[in-house]
Short mmCIF file of all heavy atoms in Angstrom, two decimals:
data_model
loop_
_atom_site.label_atom_id
_atom_site.label_comp_id
_atom_site.label_asym_id
_atom_site.label_seq_id
_atom_site.Cartn_x
_atom_site.Cartn_y
_atom_site.Cartn_z
N SER A 2 87.07 62.73 223.36
CA SER A 2 88.46 63.04 223.77
C SER A 2 89.44 62.66 222.73
O SER A 2 89.23 61.79 221.86
CB SER A 2 88.77 62.22 225.09
OG SER A 2 88.84 60.88 224.75
N ILE A 56 80.66 58.97 211.79
CA ILE A 56 79.66 58.76 212.88
C ILE A 56 80.32 58.63 214.22
O ILE A 56 79.88 59.37 215.20
CB ILE A 56 78.80 57.48 212.56
CG1 ILE A 56 77.96 57.69 211.29
CG2 ILE A 56 77.96 57.15 213.73
CD1 ILE A 56 77.27 56.44 210.83
N SER A 102 70.78 53.88 212.81
CA SER A 102 69.66 54.41 212.02
C SER A 102 69.37 55.82 212.26
O SER A 102 68.77 56.50 211.42
CB SER A 102 68.40 53.52 212.39
OG SER A 102 68.57 52.21 211.99
N ILE A 105 72.29 57.70 209.71
CA ILE A 105 72.49 57.50 208.27
C ILE A 105 71.23 57.03 207.57
O ILE A 105 70.51 56.24 208.14
CB ILE A 105 73.63 56.41 208.03
CG1 ILE A 105 73.81 56.16 206.46
CG2 ILE A 105 73.34 55.14 208.72
CD1 ILE A 105 75.01 55.29 206.17
N PRO A 127 48.06 66.51 194.43
CA PRO A 127 47.57 65.67 195.61
C PRO A 127 47.82 64.24 195.59
O PRO A 127 48.03 63.55 196.59
CB PRO A 127 46.05 66.01 195.73
CG PRO A 127 45.66 66.55 194.37
CD PRO A 127 46.87 67.23 193.84
N ILE A 150 48.15 57.12 177.78
CA ILE A 150 47.47 58.18 178.50
C ILE A 150 46.30 58.70 177.62
O ILE A 150 46.55 59.34 176.60
CB ILE A 150 48.43 59.35 178.82
CG1 ILE A 150 49.61 58.80 179.66
CG2 ILE A 150 47.73 60.45 179.57
CD1 ILE A 150 50.77 59.75 179.77
N LYS A 169 68.48 60.26 178.29
CA LYS A 169 69.15 58.96 177.88
C LYS A 169 70.45 59.27 177.16
O LYS A 169 71.42 58.49 177.24
CB LYS A 169 68.24 58.22 176.98
CG LYS A 169 68.65 56.78 176.72
CD LYS A 169 67.58 56.03 175.92
CE LYS A 169 68.05 54.60 175.70
NZ LYS A 169 66.97 53.82 175.01
N GLY A 171 72.39 61.85 177.78
CA GLY A 171 73.28 62.59 178.71
C GLY A 171 73.43 64.06 178.34
O GLY A 171 74.38 64.72 178.81
N ASN A 199 61.62 58.97 184.78
CA ASN A 199 62.28 60.27 184.77
C ASN A 199 61.53 61.31 185.67
O ASN A 199 62.18 62.19 186.30
CB ASN A 199 62.32 60.82 183.36
CG ASN A 199 63.28 60.12 182.44
OD1 ASN A 199 64.35 59.74 182.92
ND2 ASN A 199 62.91 59.85 181.20
N GLU A 214 62.13 76.40 200.96
CA GLU A 214 62.14 76.10 202.38
C GLU A 214 62.24 74.54 202.57
O GLU A 214 62.80 74.13 203.63
CB GLU A 214 60.90 76.66 203.08
CG GLU A 214 59.55 76.02 202.75
CD GLU A 214 59.02 76.47 201.38
OE1 GLU A 214 59.62 77.23 200.68
OE2 GLU A 214 57.85 75.97 201.09
N LEU A 241 69.92 66.92 190.53
CA LEU A 241 69.45 66.63 191.92
C LEU A 241 70.61 66.71 192.92
O LEU A 241 70.51 67.32 194.01
CB LEU A 241 68.73 65.31 192.01
CG LEU A 241 68.20 64.85 193.38
CD1 LEU A 241 67.14 65.84 193.90
CD2 LEU A 241 67.67 63.47 193.35
N GLN A 277 83.99 67.65 189.95
CA GLN A 277 85.15 68.22 190.72
C GLN A 277 85.16 69.75 190.59
O GLN A 277 85.37 70.46 191.59
CB GLN A 277 86.44 67.59 190.29
CG GLN A 277 87.67 68.06 191.09
CD GLN A 277 88.97 67.49 190.55
OE1 GLN A 277 88.98 66.61 189.70
NE2 GLN A 277 90.11 67.98 191.05
N THR A 278 84.95 70.23 189.40
CA THR A 278 84.96 71.66 189.12
C THR A 278 83.71 72.32 189.65
O THR A 278 83.71 73.33 190.34
CB THR A 278 85.10 71.95 187.63
OG1 THR A 278 86.34 71.33 187.20
CG2 THR A 278 85.18 73.48 187.38
N PRO A 313 95.54 57.85 175.94
CA PRO A 313 95.20 56.92 174.80
C PRO A 313 96.21 56.94 173.65
O PRO A 313 96.43 55.93 173.02
CB PRO A 313 93.82 57.34 174.36
CG PRO A 313 93.27 58.04 175.58
CD PRO A 313 94.43 58.74 176.25
N ALA A 322 101.99 43.10 180.11
CA ALA A 322 101.26 42.08 180.82
C ALA A 322 101.06 40.90 179.90
O ALA A 322 100.63 41.08 178.79
CB ALA A 322 99.89 42.59 181.23
N HIS A 348 86.49 21.62 187.28
CA HIS A 348 87.06 20.32 187.75
C HIS A 348 88.12 20.54 188.81
O HIS A 348 88.22 19.84 189.77
CB HIS A 348 87.65 19.51 186.59
CG HIS A 348 88.24 18.20 187.01
ND1 HIS A 348 89.57 18.05 187.31
CD2 HIS A 348 87.69 16.94 187.14
CE1 HIS A 348 89.83 16.83 187.65
NE2 HIS A 348 88.69 16.11 187.51
N GLN A 361 77.45 41.04 173.03
CA GLN A 361 76.04 40.89 172.71
C GLN A 361 75.75 39.62 171.97
O GLN A 361 76.68 39.00 171.51
CB GLN A 361 75.57 42.12 171.83
CG GLN A 361 76.27 42.08 170.47
CD GLN A 361 75.89 43.36 169.65
OE1 GLN A 361 75.55 44.34 170.22
NE2 GLN A 361 76.05 43.28 168.39
N LEU A 384 71.89 35.88 178.85
CA LEU A 384 72.19 36.73 177.63
C LEU A 384 71.09 37.80 177.44
O LEU A 384 70.33 37.77 176.46
CB LEU A 384 72.32 35.90 176.44
CG LEU A 384 73.62 35.11 176.36
CD1 LEU A 384 73.61 34.10 175.20
CD2 LEU A 384 74.84 36.02 176.16
N ARG A 416 54.36 34.99 202.00
CA ARG A 416 53.11 34.80 201.33
C ARG A 416 52.97 35.78 200.17
O ARG A 416 52.54 35.41 199.05
CB ARG A 416 51.99 34.90 202.27
CG ARG A 416 50.58 34.63 201.65
CD ARG A 416 49.50 34.55 202.72
NE ARG A 416 48.20 34.27 202.10
CZ ARG A 416 47.39 35.21 201.73
NH1 ARG A 416 47.70 36.48 201.81
NH2 ARG A 416 46.21 34.90 201.16
N PHE A 451 65.85 37.75 199.70
CA PHE A 451 65.20 38.94 200.32
C PHE A 451 64.92 38.76 201.78
O PHE A 451 65.19 39.66 202.62
CB PHE A 451 63.88 39.23 199.56
CG PHE A 451 63.19 40.50 199.87
CD1 PHE A 451 63.45 41.67 199.25
CD2 PHE A 451 62.23 40.44 200.95
CE1 PHE A 451 62.83 42.86 199.61
CE2 PHE A 451 61.56 41.62 201.24
CZ PHE A 451 61.91 42.86 200.61
N GLU A 465 60.39 49.44 199.73
CA GLU A 465 61.30 50.25 198.87
C GLU A 465 62.36 49.34 198.21
O GLU A 465 62.72 49.48 197.06
CB GLU A 465 61.93 51.34 199.67
CG GLU A 465 60.98 52.41 200.10
CD GLU A 465 61.57 53.51 200.91
OE1 GLU A 465 62.82 53.45 201.12
OE2 GLU A 465 60.87 54.43 201.33
N VAL A 483 73.40 32.33 191.11
CA VAL A 483 72.81 31.16 190.49
C VAL A 483 73.73 29.95 190.80
O VAL A 483 74.87 30.08 191.02
CB VAL A 483 72.72 31.34 188.89
CG1 VAL A 483 71.84 32.52 188.56
CG2 VAL A 483 74.11 31.48 188.23
N VAL A 535 95.24 52.81 165.95
CA VAL A 535 96.00 54.02 166.28
C VAL A 535 95.00 55.04 166.79
O VAL A 535 94.08 55.47 166.05
CB VAL A 535 96.82 54.58 165.06
CG1 VAL A 535 97.45 55.89 165.49
CG2 VAL A 535 97.82 53.57 164.59
N GLN A 592 100.37 32.33 171.66
CA GLN A 592 99.42 31.12 171.77
C GLN A 592 98.34 31.23 170.69
O GLN A 592 97.18 31.40 170.99
CB GLN A 592 98.78 31.12 173.15
CG GLN A 592 99.77 31.03 174.31
CD GLN A 592 99.04 31.13 175.60
OE1 GLN A 592 98.18 30.28 175.92
NE2 GLN A 592 99.33 32.16 176.38
#
Side-chain angles (χ1 to χ4, degrees):
S2 69
I56 292 173
S102 294
I105 179 173
I150 304 166
K169 192 173 181 179
N199 290 322
E214 70 281 2
L241 178 63
Q277 183 182 351
T278 302
H348 179 270
Q361 62 187 23
L384 288 170
R416 182 172 180 271
F451 186 89
E465 290 180 2
V483 300
V535 175
Q592 300 178 63

